[in-house]
């Protein structure tokens, strides 16, 4: 009895100690850096020296955008960014400028928003531009089959500024790319498309272990459920080390930017690398994003010279981090 009592007391104090960390993680607000050295101080060796300090360049003031869960810079229209809301919302995309001003509301035809978590932009060899929307969230672990919607990027006109959820502009019909995992169903919030090959990457969101890196090759089949290929495990310098909430591949295919609720993390492909997937063997470095209420969206500018980030919650800041 005495042994049981001691174990119960020990477990209680362990929970009390760990509970604040859980609150910080799931509230999306962190007053400290995720880069901590063994002595409890900030580890500046893990912070990228390639970027300036983050700047707030605007605010998303549209009441239609309450959970900016992904962001992608247009590859066809300069200065345009695309975002979307998280689960519990309808199938809408929103066009923004760099200041966060809404340029249009678009209903995605032939699509449903079960749990949209990220978005990626892609331009093919013919100059045609597409958006890939990741319906890949799985917080409740109740899904086995997931969907990526591929839709031609809409052209924006001045009239689209007057569009709204009640009177939206419309996209062309979206293609539904269905997939399953090769091991077990995962929760994920990071979707990326390689700018050269068109291959799709999904990174899982894990609280207890590294993120899994999964790939869908370009020859996917729209008529069946495709199976992803797991190609790596990835750890970022944070606690938890695999709790990723967004990401993007740079327009030249040489860099990857990822984020969690703390910061962003960049991975650089070595110049002599034979193939892109060698990037997952490299060590990520921190790119500071500044204060975000619940940071789930990060992406490169169309020229790759800056990183942009937004946050869930209303009146999200548009954060820009320029390369030196």
């Amino acid at each position: 009895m005495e042994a049981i009592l001691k174990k119960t007391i020990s477990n209680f104090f362990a929970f009390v100690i760990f509970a604040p960390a859980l609150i910080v993680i799931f509230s999306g607000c962190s007053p400290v850096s995720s880069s901590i050295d063994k002595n409890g101080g900030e580890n500046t060796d893990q912070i990228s020296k390639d970027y300036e300090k983050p700047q707030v360049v605007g605010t998303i003031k549209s009441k239609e955008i309450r959970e900016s869960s992904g962001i992608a810079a247009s590859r066809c229209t300069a200065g345009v960014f695309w975002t979307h809301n998280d689960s519990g919302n309808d199938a809408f995309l929103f066009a923004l400028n760099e200041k966060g001003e809404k340029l249009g509301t678009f209903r995605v035809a032939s699509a449903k928003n079960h749990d949209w978590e990220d978005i990626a932009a892609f331009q093919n060899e013919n100059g045609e531009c597409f958006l890939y929307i990741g319906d890949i969230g799985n917080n409740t672990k109740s899904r086995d089959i997931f969907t990526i919607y591929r839709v031609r990027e809409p052209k924006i006109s001045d009239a689209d500024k007057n569009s709204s959820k009640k009177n939206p502009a419309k996209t062309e019909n979206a293609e539904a790319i269905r997939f399953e995992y090769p091991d077990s169903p995962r929760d994920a919030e990071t979707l990326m498309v390689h700018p050269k090959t068109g291959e799709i990457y999904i990174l899982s969101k894990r609280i207890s272990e590294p993120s899994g890196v999964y790939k869908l090759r370009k020859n996917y089949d729209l008529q069946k459920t495709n199976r992803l290929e797991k190609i790596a495990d990835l750890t970022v310098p944070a606690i938890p080390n695999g709790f990723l909430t967004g990401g993007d591949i740079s327009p030249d295919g040489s860099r990857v930017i990822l984020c969690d609720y703390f910061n962003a993390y960049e991975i650089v492909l070595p110049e002599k690398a034979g193939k892109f997937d060698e990037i997952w063997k490299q060590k990520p470095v921190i790119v500071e994003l500044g204060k975000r209420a619940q940071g789930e969206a990060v992406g490169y500018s169309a020229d790759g010279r800056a990183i942009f980030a937004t946050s869930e919650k209303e009146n999200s800041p548009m954060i820009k981090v320029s390369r030196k």
Side-chain angles (χ1 to χ4, degrees):
M1 182 67 181
E2 183 179 355
I4 295 174
L5 182 60
K6 287 182 178 180
K7 184 175 181 180
T8 301
I9 294 172
S10 176
N11 289 341
F12 171 76
F13 280 106
F15 172 79
V16 170
I17 292 170
F18 189 60
L22 290 177
I23 292 171
V24 168
I25 290 167
F26 290 108
S27 69
C29 301
S30 173
V32 296
S33 169
S34 62
S35 174
I36 305 297
D37 65 20
K38 62 183 180 180
N39 296 316
E42 186 175 30
N43 190 343
T44 57
D45 292 339
Q46 294 179 317
I47 299 176
S48 173
K49 297 178 176 59
D50 293 336
Y51 289 90
E52 305 286 355
K53 292 294 183 181
Q55 292 184 323
V56 175
V57 293
T59 303
I60 301 176
K61 294 182 179 179
S62 171
K63 292 183 179 180
E64 294 183 337
I65 307 170
R66 298 181 177 181
E67 296 181 288
S68 178
S69 189
I71 188 169
S74 171
R75 299 300 191 261
C76 275
T77 308
V80 170
F81 296 84
W82 293 94
T83 191
H84 57 83
N85 285 320
D86 206 332
S87 60
N89 293 275
D90 211 336
F92 290 105
L93 290 178
F94 305 97
L96 306 171
N97 62 19
E98 183 174 313
K99 295 181 179 180
E101 298 168 333
K102 196 188 76 170
L103 304 177
T105 299
F106 294 80
R107 178 179 288 279
V108 182
S110 302
K112 295 181 179 180
N113 184 344
H114 183 281
D115 194 356
W116 288 9
E117 291 291 357
D118 206 0
I119 185 170
F122 176 75
Q123 185 176 41
N124 66 17
E125 59 274 11
N126 298 320
E128 301 170 308
C129 287
F130 296 87
L131 298 172
Y132 290 71
I133 308 160
D135 196 342
I136 56 178
N138 192 25
N139 286 326
T140 61
K141 302 296 188 295
S142 60
R143 307 174 70 186
D144 297 319
I145 307 299
F146 305 83
T147 305
I148 299 165
Y149 291 107
R150 180 180 184 266
V151 62
R152 188 181 296 274
E153 183 180 323
K155 294 182 179 179
I156 300 174
S157 67
D158 290 338
D160 291 327
K161 290 183 179 180
N162 298 320
S163 59
S164 66
K165 287 184 177 180
K166 292 183 178 180
N167 186 29
K170 293 183 180 180
T171 71
E172 295 183 8
N173 287 339
E175 296 177 334
I177 307 167
R178 294 182 174 82
F179 72 87
E180 61 184 355
Y181 289 89
D183 32 33
S184 60
R186 304 291 183 183
D187 183 26
E189 297 189 7
T190 304
L191 167 76
M192 301 182 290
V193 179
H194 193 279
K196 309 295 183 183
T197 66
E199 292 181 322
I200 300 170
Y201 291 84
I202 292 174
L203 277 64
S204 65
K205 180 183 180 183
R206 305 300 301 274
I207 193 170
S208 59
E209 56 189 70
S211 170
V213 181
Y214 297 86
K215 180 165 75 171
L216 180 60
R217 297 186 183 276
K218 191 176 181 180
N219 58 345
Y220 53 79
D221 191 334
L222 294 175
Q223 305 305 315
K224 68 176 187 179
T225 299
N226 301 270
R227 176 163 289 193
L228 302 184
E229 172 190 0
K230 186 175 182 182
I231 58 174
D233 285 310
L234 181 70
T235 293
V236 298
I239 300 173
N241 62 358
F243 204 68
L244 302 181
T245 60
D248 195 15
I249 301 174
S250 64
D252 65 357
S254 68
R255 294 171 178 258
V256 166
I257 191 70
L258 304 166
C259 75
D260 60 11
Y261 292 153
F262 302 105
N263 286 303
Y265 310 91
E266 190 172 59
I267 320 171
V268 181
L269 186 68
E271 291 185 4
K272 297 182 179 180
K275 55 183 180 179
F276 174 76
D277 284 340
E278 291 184 33
I279 200 168
W280 308 116
K281 301 176 183 178
Q282 312 309 312
K283 184 177 180 180
V285 293
I286 293 170
V287 178
E288 296 175 307
L289 294 179
K291 186 178 180 180
R292 298 168 297 152
Q294 185 170 320
E296 296 197 6
V298 69
Y300 288 100
S301 59
D303 61 5
R305 296 296 303 170
I307 292 166
F308 282 83
T310 61
S311 175
E312 293 198 352
K313 312 299 182 184
E314 290 187 29
N315 298 314
S316 164
M318 284 284 285
I319 298 170
K320 180 179 183 180
V321 190
S322 299
R323 282 180 61 83
K324 294 179 179 179

